[in-house]
Amino acid sequence: MQILDPEEVKKFLGNPDIETLKQFAREHHYPYYDHITEDSNDFYELACLYYAEKKYPEADPIDKVSFATIVSGFTTGLFGGYGTEWYEKEKLANKLVVKSIGGTLDDEGFGTIPERALRGPDTLRTVGILKLLEDLYFGGGDIARLVERLLD
């Protein structure tokens, strides 16, 4: 299920091109990205890693890959890759995204999504969610925790 608008995600991440991402993957020893195509889950995952590495080079590597997993997953509907679903920030990120669209999510990861959210992503929601996720992973999380309290 697509929650985030792919074009808005690309803009937020600086519109990286495939060749730049492939070069980045080689330089950072991410061996699985030689086959990426525009708008694939791998494209968004790698674009997030590139963005995080350029903007937040000192950030925890787990934060970088978890951010990539969440953003690419809610952009394409495909999740997985780094085995970070156990990570507390990722659990909170999932909860924030699902609740921000009016859904529910329990501690086991089961929940509901309202039918209106299934009609496709929109720009305002996408930008807001991306800013929340960026704050959670790289900005200390104060805004994300505040939003969590507001949504509870």
PDB file of all heavy atoms in Angstrom, residues 48-63:
ATOM      1  N   CYS A  48      17.200   6.979   0.108  1.00  0.00           N
ATOM      2  CA  CYS A  48      17.140   7.356   1.531  1.00  0.00           C
ATOM      3  C   CYS A  48      18.502   7.198   2.197  1.00  0.00           C
ATOM      4  O   CYS A  48      18.911   8.052   2.996  1.00  0.00           O
ATOM      5  CB  CYS A  48      16.122   6.498   2.262  1.00  0.00           C
ATOM      6  SG  CYS A  48      14.415   6.892   1.882  1.00  0.00           S
ATOM      7  N   LEU A  49      19.192   6.124   1.887  1.00  0.00           N
ATOM      8  CA  LEU A  49      20.529   5.923   2.455  1.00  0.00           C
ATOM      9  C   LEU A  49      21.475   7.025   1.990  1.00  0.00           C
ATOM     10  O   LEU A  49      22.265   7.556   2.778  1.00  0.00           O
ATOM     11  CB  LEU A  49      21.074   4.552   2.055  1.00  0.00           C
ATOM     12  CG  LEU A  49      20.376   3.348   2.682  1.00  0.00           C
ATOM     13  CD1 LEU A  49      20.851   2.060   2.025  1.00  0.00           C
ATOM     14  CD2 LEU A  49      20.601   3.326   4.185  1.00  0.00           C
ATOM     15  N   TYR A  50      21.386   7.370   0.721  1.00  0.00           N
ATOM     16  CA  TYR A  50      22.216   8.437   0.151  1.00  0.00           C
ATOM     17  C   TYR A  50      21.912   9.762   0.855  1.00  0.00           C
ATOM     18  O   TYR A  50      22.816  10.479   1.277  1.00  0.00           O
ATOM     19  CB  TYR A  50      21.933   8.519  -1.350  1.00  0.00           C
ATOM     20  CG  TYR A  50      22.667   9.611  -2.080  1.00  0.00           C
ATOM     21  CD1 TYR A  50      24.018   9.493  -2.370  1.00  0.00           C
ATOM     22  CD2 TYR A  50      21.998  10.756  -2.507  1.00  0.00           C
ATOM     23  CE1 TYR A  50      24.689  10.503  -3.055  1.00  0.00           C
ATOM     24  CE2 TYR A  50      22.651  11.766  -3.188  1.00  0.00           C
ATOM     25  CZ  TYR A  50      24.007  11.628  -3.456  1.00  0.00           C
ATOM     26  OH  TYR A  50      24.675  12.623  -4.134  1.00  0.00           O
ATOM     27  N   TYR A  51      20.633  10.078   0.981  1.00  0.00           N
ATOM     28  CA  TYR A  51      20.198  11.308   1.648  1.00  0.00           C
ATOM     29  C   TYR A  51      20.717  11.353   3.087  1.00  0.00           C
ATOM     30  O   TYR A  51      21.289  12.356   3.529  1.00  0.00           O
ATOM     31  CB  TYR A  51      18.668  11.361   1.625  1.00  0.00           C
ATOM     32  CG  TYR A  51      18.060  12.494   2.397  1.00  0.00           C
ATOM     33  CD1 TYR A  51      17.942  13.757   1.838  1.00  0.00           C
ATOM     34  CD2 TYR A  51      17.567  12.294   3.687  1.00  0.00           C
ATOM     35  CE1 TYR A  51      17.352  14.801   2.546  1.00  0.00           C
ATOM     36  CE2 TYR A  51      16.972  13.334   4.400  1.00  0.00           C
ATOM     37  CZ  TYR A  51      16.879  14.580   3.822  1.00  0.00           C
ATOM     38  OH  TYR A  51      16.300  15.610   4.518  1.00  0.00           O
ATOM     39  N   ALA A  52      20.502  10.272   3.818  1.00  0.00           N
ATOM     40  CA  ALA A  52      20.911  10.233   5.227  1.00  0.00           C
ATOM     41  C   ALA A  52      22.422  10.348   5.368  1.00  0.00           C
ATOM     42  O   ALA A  52      22.914  11.047   6.253  1.00  0.00           O
ATOM     43  CB  ALA A  52      20.410   8.945   5.877  1.00  0.00           C
ATOM     44  N   GLU A  53      23.147   9.690   4.498  1.00  0.00           N
ATOM     45  CA  GLU A  53      24.609   9.735   4.586  1.00  0.00           C
ATOM     46  C   GLU A  53      25.139  11.125   4.262  1.00  0.00           C
ATOM     47  O   GLU A  53      26.073  11.602   4.900  1.00  0.00           O
ATOM     48  CB  GLU A  53      25.228   8.703   3.643  1.00  0.00           C
ATOM     49  CG  GLU A  53      26.719   8.560   3.790  1.00  0.00           C
ATOM     50  CD  GLU A  53      27.172   8.112   5.177  1.00  0.00           C
ATOM     51  OE1 GLU A  53      26.503   7.263   5.792  1.00  0.00           O
ATOM     52  OE2 GLU A  53      28.205   8.628   5.645  1.00  0.00           O
ATOM     53  N   LYS A  54      24.552  11.779   3.282  1.00  0.00           N
ATOM     54  CA  LYS A  54      25.004  13.125   2.900  1.00  0.00           C
ATOM     55  C   LYS A  54      24.601  14.172   3.936  1.00  0.00           C
ATOM     56  O   LYS A  54      25.383  15.051   4.268  1.00  0.00           O
ATOM     57  CB  LYS A  54      24.448  13.518   1.531  1.00  0.00           C
ATOM     58  CG  LYS A  54      24.939  12.645   0.394  1.00  0.00           C
ATOM     59  CD  LYS A  54      26.431  12.750   0.224  1.00  0.00           C
ATOM     60  CE  LYS A  54      26.898  11.869  -0.908  1.00  0.00           C
ATOM     61  NZ  LYS A  54      28.330  11.680  -0.907  1.00  0.00           N
ATOM     62  N   LYS A  55      23.379  14.093   4.440  1.00  0.00           N
ATOM     63  CA  LYS A  55      22.876  15.124   5.347  1.00  0.00           C
ATOM     64  C   LYS A  55      23.233  14.855   6.813  1.00  0.00           C
ATOM     65  O   LYS A  55      23.428  15.786   7.588  1.00  0.00           O
ATOM     66  CB  LYS A  55      21.352  15.246   5.200  1.00  0.00           C
ATOM     67  CG  LYS A  55      20.792  16.463   5.896  1.00  0.00           C
ATOM     68  CD  LYS A  55      19.383  16.777   5.444  1.00  0.00           C
ATOM     69  CE  LYS A  55      18.876  18.025   6.162  1.00  0.00           C
ATOM     70  NZ  LYS A  55      17.509  18.335   5.796  1.00  0.00           N
ATOM     71  N   TYR A  56      23.331  13.566   7.177  1.00  0.00           N
ATOM     72  CA  TYR A  56      23.594  13.182   8.571  1.00  0.00           C
ATOM     73  C   TYR A  56      24.698  12.125   8.636  1.00  0.00           C
ATOM     74  O   TYR A  56      24.464  11.004   9.095  1.00  0.00           O
ATOM     75  CB  TYR A  56      22.314  12.638   9.218  1.00  0.00           C
ATOM     76  CG  TYR A  56      21.157  13.593   9.144  1.00  0.00           C
ATOM     77  CD1 TYR A  56      20.134  13.418   8.213  1.00  0.00           C
ATOM     78  CD2 TYR A  56      21.086  14.690  10.005  1.00  0.00           C
ATOM     79  CE1 TYR A  56      19.072  14.308   8.146  1.00  0.00           C
ATOM     80  CE2 TYR A  56      20.031  15.586   9.942  1.00  0.00           C
ATOM     81  CZ  TYR A  56      19.033  15.387   9.012  1.00  0.00           C
ATOM     82  OH  TYR A  56      17.987  16.273   8.942  1.00  0.00           O
ATOM     83  N   PRO A  57      25.899  12.451   8.198  1.00  0.00           N
ATOM     84  CA  PRO A  57      26.962  11.439   8.129  1.00  0.00           C
ATOM     85  C   PRO A  57      27.315  10.812   9.478  1.00  0.00           C
ATOM     86  O   PRO A  57      27.757   9.663   9.526  1.00  0.00           O
ATOM     87  CB  PRO A  57      28.154  12.204   7.544  1.00  0.00           C
ATOM     88  CG  PRO A  57      27.867  13.633   7.781  1.00  0.00           C
ATOM     89  CD  PRO A  57      26.374  13.770   7.793  1.00  0.00           C
ATOM     90  N   GLU A  58      27.086  11.530  10.562  1.00  0.00           N
ATOM     91  CA  GLU A  58      27.433  11.011  11.890  1.00  0.00           C
ATOM     92  C   GLU A  58      26.296  10.227  12.542  1.00  0.00           C
ATOM     93  O   GLU A  58      26.462   9.704  13.651  1.00  0.00           O
ATOM     94  CB  GLU A  58      27.856  12.167  12.813  1.00  0.00           C
ATOM     95  CG  GLU A  58      29.043  12.958  12.304  1.00  0.00           C
ATOM     96  CD  GLU A  58      30.286  12.105  12.104  1.00  0.00           C
ATOM     97  OE1 GLU A  58      30.567  11.251  12.968  1.00  0.00           O
ATOM     98  OE2 GLU A  58      30.970  12.301  11.083  1.00  0.00           O
ATOM     99  N   ALA A  59      25.163  10.141  11.874  1.00  0.00           N
ATOM    100  CA  ALA A  59      24.014   9.425  12.447  1.00  0.00           C
ATOM    101  C   ALA A  59      24.323   7.942  12.595  1.00  0.00           C
ATOM    102  O   ALA A  59      25.140   7.378  11.873  1.00  0.00           O
ATOM    103  CB  ALA A  59      22.782   9.627  11.573  1.00  0.00           C
ATOM    104  N   ASP A  60      23.617   7.323  13.531  1.00  0.00           N
ATOM    105  CA  ASP A  60      23.749   5.888  13.769  1.00  0.00           C
ATOM    106  C   ASP A  60      23.374   5.127  12.493  1.00  0.00           C
ATOM    107  O   ASP A  60      22.333   5.404  11.896  1.00  0.00           O
ATOM    108  CB  ASP A  60      22.804   5.499  14.907  1.00  0.00           C
ATOM    109  CG  ASP A  60      22.964   4.074  15.380  1.00  0.00           C
ATOM    110  OD1 ASP A  60      23.210   3.174  14.557  1.00  0.00           O
ATOM    111  OD2 ASP A  60      22.827   3.862  16.593  1.00  0.00           O
ATOM    112  N   PRO A  61      24.199   4.170  12.071  1.00  0.00           N
ATOM    113  CA  PRO A  61      23.873   3.397  10.860  1.00  0.00           C
ATOM    114  C   PRO A  61      22.519   2.699  10.934  1.00  0.00           C
ATOM    115  O   PRO A  61      21.832   2.569   9.922  1.00  0.00           O
ATOM    116  CB  PRO A  61      25.013   2.380  10.766  1.00  0.00           C
ATOM    117  CG  PRO A  61      26.143   3.015  11.502  1.00  0.00           C
ATOM    118  CD  PRO A  61      25.509   3.819  12.606  1.00  0.00           C
ATOM    119  N   ILE A  62      22.108   2.275  12.127  1.00  0.00           N
ATOM    120  CA  ILE A  62      20.797   1.630  12.260  1.00  0.00           C
ATOM    121  C   ILE A  62      19.686   2.633  11.966  1.00  0.00           C
ATOM    122  O   ILE A  62      18.682   2.294  11.338  1.00  0.00           O
ATOM    123  CB  ILE A  62      20.625   0.985  13.650  1.00  0.00           C
ATOM    124  CG1 ILE A  62      21.616  -0.163  13.810  1.00  0.00           C
ATOM    125  CG2 ILE A  62      19.198   0.479  13.851  1.00  0.00           C
ATOM    126  CD1 ILE A  62      21.671  -0.754  15.197  1.00  0.00           C
ATOM    127  N   ASP A  63      19.862   3.875  12.403  1.00  0.00           N
ATOM    128  CA  ASP A  63      18.873   4.905  12.077  1.00  0.00           C
ATOM    129  C   ASP A  63      18.770   5.102  10.570  1.00  0.00           C
ATOM    130  O   ASP A  63      17.680   5.265  10.028  1.00  0.00           O
ATOM    131  CB  ASP A  63      19.227   6.236  12.746  1.00  0.00           C
ATOM    132  CG  ASP A  63      18.911   6.251  14.235  1.00  0.00           C
ATOM    133  OD1 ASP A  63      18.103   5.424  14.693  1.00  0.00           O
ATOM    134  OD2 ASP A  63      19.473   7.110  14.936  1.00  0.00           O
TER     135      ASP A  63
END
